[in-house]
Amino acid sequence: MFDIGFLELLFIGVVALLVLGPERLPRAARTAGMWIGRIKRTVSGMQREINAQLEAEELRQKLNEQQKKLDEGLDRVKRDVERSVETPSERGTGAAPRERAEATPERRLDDALGRARRQTDDSDADAHEDASSR
């Protein structure tokens, strides 16, 4: 921290001995040591807090980057699903994209679920007909 050599410390000690005297010098040295220790602990605590804050900020930035990547992936999957889920009338007539956009996502999902159920019901009916014909 400070560039204090042995000669400087010796000079400070001699001046302190002359000014304070031999009776008060040990108590003054103890008090000075106590204050220096407190200052060092305070500085090291502040350094730890700063380092912790920097690490937390780095983690927040990484988390935000990952969140953006996840959001982009989710948007991409959502667009792919919306493109793949078309109503039968849209496939046959080539409905305009504006008409597809007017259908709510909930409506398109309901239509897709209905088609899936009908296909399941049809395949179940075919399986029963095959079983009864044997």
Side-chain angles (χ1 to χ4, degrees), residues 51-68:
N51 287 336
Q53 290 295 325
L54 289 174
E55 289 175 10
E57 184 61 31
E58 288 176 11
L59 287 174
R60 271 190 222 104
Q61 288 176 352
K62 288 180 182 178
L63 182 63
N64 286 338
E65 289 173 9
Q66 292 298 322
Q67 183 67 37
K68 286 178 185 177

Side-chain angles (χ1 to χ4, degrees), residues 81-82 85-87 103-117:
V81 167
E82 287 176 352
V85 177
E86 295 178 349
T87 60
T104 63
E106 291 84 10
R107 177 69 183 154
R108 288 192 300 236
L109 183 60
D110 290 340
D111 292 342
L113 287 172
R115 283 195 307 277
R117 287 186 185 127

